[in-house]
Each structure stands twice: as C-alpha cells, then as structure tokens.
Amino acid sequence: MLQLEGQHSGQAKMFDGAQPLFVFGVIADVQYANVDNGSNYLKTRRRYYRNSVTLLHDAVEHWNGIAPHFIVQLGDLIDGLNKKHNFSAKALEIVMKEFQRCRTKIHHVWGNHEFYNFTREYLMSSILNSKVLESALDDISVNPEDHAAEAAIYSYHFSPTPSFRFVLLDAYDLSVLGRKAPSKKYNQSLKILQDKNKNQNLNCPPEGQCGTEQRFVQFNGGFSKEQLSWLDKILTYADKNLEKVTIISHLPVHPDSTDPICLAWNYEEVLSVLHSHKSVVCFMAGHDHDGGYHMDHRGIHHVTMEGVIETPPDTNAFATVYVHQDRMILKGVGRVSDRIMLYPST
C-alpha cells in the first residue's frame, strides 16, 4: 500500500480509479563516468559509475511505456571524474543519447558536477539548457539575469496544465563553482564560505561544527537576492491565480529532508519565501544520494530523490508522479519509496 503523507492514518484512503491531470518522471544524480566503481567522499557508500547509464536506460524504457508529459532530471548527470580524464563531452553525449530515446521533453537542473565538468557559459549554450521549454508569463519578469552574461542565472518556470506551475531554480547562482574569479558573485560566494569555514580545503565541513552549519562547503551553493526576488514574483502570480507550484532544485532547502551537509547555504531565506505564499505544494531536490522526505509545518512536501550513482546494479532509483487536483501520487522504483502527498489546505 502506498504511504500516505499529510493525512492521519485513521483517515487514510487510496485514490483508486481517478485519472491524473498529468504525469511526470523524476531522476537524480546519475553521475555517469567511464571509470571503475568507487566510493563516496566518506568511503561509506559504493558508486557504480559505468552502470549508472544502464539504470538511466532502464528508467527511459519504463517511461516510454507510460508516456509521461515530461521528465525532471535533478542534476549531476555526469560525474566530475570525467574532467580529470578529459571525457566530459563524451560522457555527456553518452547519457544524452539515453534521454534522446525518451518520447517526451526533459527539464534539466544543474548540480555541482555540471560545474566540475563545464563552465557556466558552456552550459548556457548546451543541450543541458532546457530553458527553451519554458512558458513565459506576460506580466512578470521571466529572466532573473543581470546584464552581464557571466552573471546569468539558470532558472525558469513552466505550466504543464492550467492551475499548475513548476519553477526550476539555480542552486549554484551563489557559488565558487561556475563563477569566474574575481567576479562579484564569485567574491560574494567565497566570502560566505570563508566566513563560516576556516579549512584550507573548503570541501571539508567547518571544524567543530555540527548540524546545519556543516552546509558551508564548496560543493554546495546558494540563491542570490535577485533570484529569490524573481521567485517571490512567480509565487505571487501563482497565489493570485490559485495555482499549485512545485519547485525543483539540485540542493534541498529543508534540514529535515536531507543530511545537513547537503543543504543550500541560505536555505532559511528560501524557506521564508516559500512560507510567505500559499501556492507552493512541493519542493524536489537531489544531491543527497541517500534521499529524504519531510512535510513541513506549512504542509509543503520536501522530496529529496535517491541518487542513481549509489544504486546497485540489481535495482534502480527513479519515480513517476501522478498529479491530481488534490494530491500527488509518487510511484517509486527500487530505492525510491511510494508516497501520496496531499496538498496543503488553504
């Protein structure tokens, strides 16, 4: 039986027979590389670099049998090891061949491994820029970009059907990854890191710190004031038009949905924006390969997807989400649990 979220167990019921308004697939952290199996940074989990593209192949086969309206790829599509072996472009070609077999559109989020392999300028003009799939609104600004090309923010929104909207956020808008030194955002990001983390290696968590203070590491990032202002405008529009909004990002923003070392630097600011609007129903992220889930006090479902890269060859890690007027039904495969997520009451 599916796990029911957002409703007391005594009130639990299944929603048999109801046709969804639309369906979408979601997958995270494929991190393909043509190298032997390895382990994570802490040497606690196995990583299956070559086999990850096989699991992606199987996910695409599954979705082609279902015909979802679109797929959300939550970032870290190829691993940073590709850069070391001068294999970045070829690795991207290999995984994109799998996605090109998919009979629907793909929305690509950018994670830290995208920036280990490519510059922001390269990504902006690459096949990983799915911004061309967006549906613009006439009465609000769609691009939260500065005039300088270097400062561009990769974020957009789209509406797959009336009364529903998805917003893709750039979690490395503030980052020392992908931002050129000595640009304004690079310097701002480096200061955020160095004020909180005194280690020479900024990928090591701050010494003597625990809990959410561990998030100030180089492989994380944050959201600029410009991007959060843009998000606020989108959500204000959605509130006014009684839309339900799902937000997608590489980095999680709720400490109870992830290991705290994987949180966005300024997650509290993001939550403040989300909680000031009634339209947000779900926040989906990757980055933490163990996955996670939390429904916050405002009824927003925070879903952190398990990573394909740390999924053994005999299973998988992806999901298909069936969207209804009053809930989402997430059907997981392999390591991903099933969930029914009721929307917050307004």
Side-chain angles (χ1 to χ4, degrees):
M1 181 175 180
L2 291 179
Q3 181 179 351
L4 184 67
E5 304 292 352
Q7 194 171 38
H8 294 299
S9 59
Q11 300 174 306
K13 63 178 181 178
M14 294 299 295
F15 299 90
D16 296 326
Q19 290 298 311
L21 300 173
F22 63 95
V23 178
F24 69 96
V26 59
I27 193 166
D29 298 87
V30 175
Q31 285 184 225
Y32 167 73
N34 186 24
V35 298
D36 293 340
N37 293 344
S39 58
N40 64 353
Y41 183 77
L42 297 176
K43 311 297 183 184
T44 58
R45 296 287 296 269
R46 194 75 166 154
R47 291 189 171 179
Y48 306 90
Y49 292 106
R50 289 195 182 98
N51 194 67
S52 65
V53 76
T54 301
L55 299 190
L56 174 60
H57 175 93
D58 293 345
V60 169
E61 286 290 296
H62 179 88
W63 285 322
N64 279 344
I66 294 174
H69 293 74
F70 59 92
I71 305 298
V72 171
Q73 187 274 113
L74 288 169
D76 283 4
L77 189 54
I78 66 172
D79 196 87
L81 288 173
N82 289 292
K83 184 70 172 180
K84 176 182 177 181
H85 297 282
N86 196 29
F87 199 71
S88 299
K90 184 62 177 178
L92 182 59
E93 178 186 340
I94 289 170
V95 294
M96 290 309 298
K97 278 185 178 179
E98 295 301 329
F99 274 124
Q100 286 161 5
R101 294 173 45 252
C102 201
R103 301 188 190 113
T104 189
K105 65 185 78 172
I106 316 293
H107 291 274
H108 294 288
V109 174
W110 297 349
N112 48 310
H113 283 263
E114 273 70 45
F115 293 111
Y116 296 154
N117 283 284
F118 306 110
T119 65
R120 180 170 283 266
E121 291 75 17
Y122 178 94
L123 289 170
M124 279 292 185
S125 60
S126 77
I127 197 169
L128 288 179
N129 186 341
S130 50
K131 208 170 186 177
V132 294
L133 301 175
E134 74 178 45
S135 298
L137 301 180
D138 292 332
D139 56 346
I140 60 175
S141 172
V142 172
N143 284 325
E145 299 178 0
D146 293 341
H147 292 294
E150 189 278 330
I153 301 171
Y154 176 62
S155 56
Y156 64 90
H157 59 91
F158 61 98
S159 177
T161 195
S163 300
F164 288 85
R165 189 164 302 280
F166 284 68
V167 181
L168 185 151
L169 294 182
D170 186 344
Y172 291 85
D173 176 13
L174 293 180
S175 176
V176 294
L177 305 175
R179 293 295 184 191
K180 290 182 179 178
S183 67
K184 178 181 177 182
K185 282 191 175 177
Y186 178 90
N187 291 339
Q188 181 183 358
S189 303
L190 185 61
K191 185 176 189 306
I192 290 170
L193 266 180
Q194 292 181 334
D195 283 351
K196 295 287 187 176
N197 190 336
K198 304 305 179 184
N199 292 319
Q200 184 173 359
N201 181 356
L202 292 173
N203 275 324
C204 293
E207 292 183 9
Q209 299 293 338
C210 59
T212 58
E213 291 302 300
Q214 296 177 80
R215 72 189 187 273
F216 292 103
V217 286
Q218 184 169 293
F219 54 77
N220 292 336
F223 307 88
S224 66
K225 293 187 183 302
E226 296 97 330
Q227 188 175 181
L228 292 180
S229 175
W230 171 83
L231 174 61
D232 185 64
K233 291 178 181 178
I234 299 292
L235 297 181
T236 298
Y237 177 96
D239 290 346
K240 179 181 177 182
N241 290 278
L242 303 179
E243 294 182 336
K244 296 175 177 65
V245 177
T246 295
I247 297 176
I248 54 180
S249 161
H250 185 65
L251 296 180
V253 298
H254 200 289
D256 292 328
S257 70
T258 182
D259 186 307
I261 200 173
C262 293
L263 279 167
W265 292 341
N266 57 338
Y267 75 90
E268 294 163 307
E269 291 180 72
V270 182
L271 287 176
S272 178
V273 174
L274 304 187
H275 292 159
S276 66
H277 296 277
K278 61 184 180 181
S279 51
V280 182
V281 299
C282 187
F283 192 105
M284 289 187 163
H287 198 50
D288 183 346
H289 300 166
D290 288 333
Y293 170 81
H294 178 71
M295 185 179 71
D296 69 25
H297 71 283
R298 295 296 296 271
I300 299 172
H301 301 275
H302 295 264
V303 178
T304 304
M305 287 290 295
E306 287 78 359
V308 171
I309 183 62
E310 292 180 9
T311 300
D314 60 349
T315 184
N316 213 320
F318 65 93
T320 305
V321 184
Y322 299 81
V323 180
H324 296 260
Q325 196 64 48
D326 60 348
R327 80 277 186 191
M328 290 180 175
I329 299 177
L330 185 150
K331 290 288 293 180
V333 173
R335 296 172 61 212
V336 180
S337 298
D338 294 343
R339 298 187 186 280
I340 296 178
M341 300 180 290
L342 302 182
Y343 303 142
S345 57
T346 57

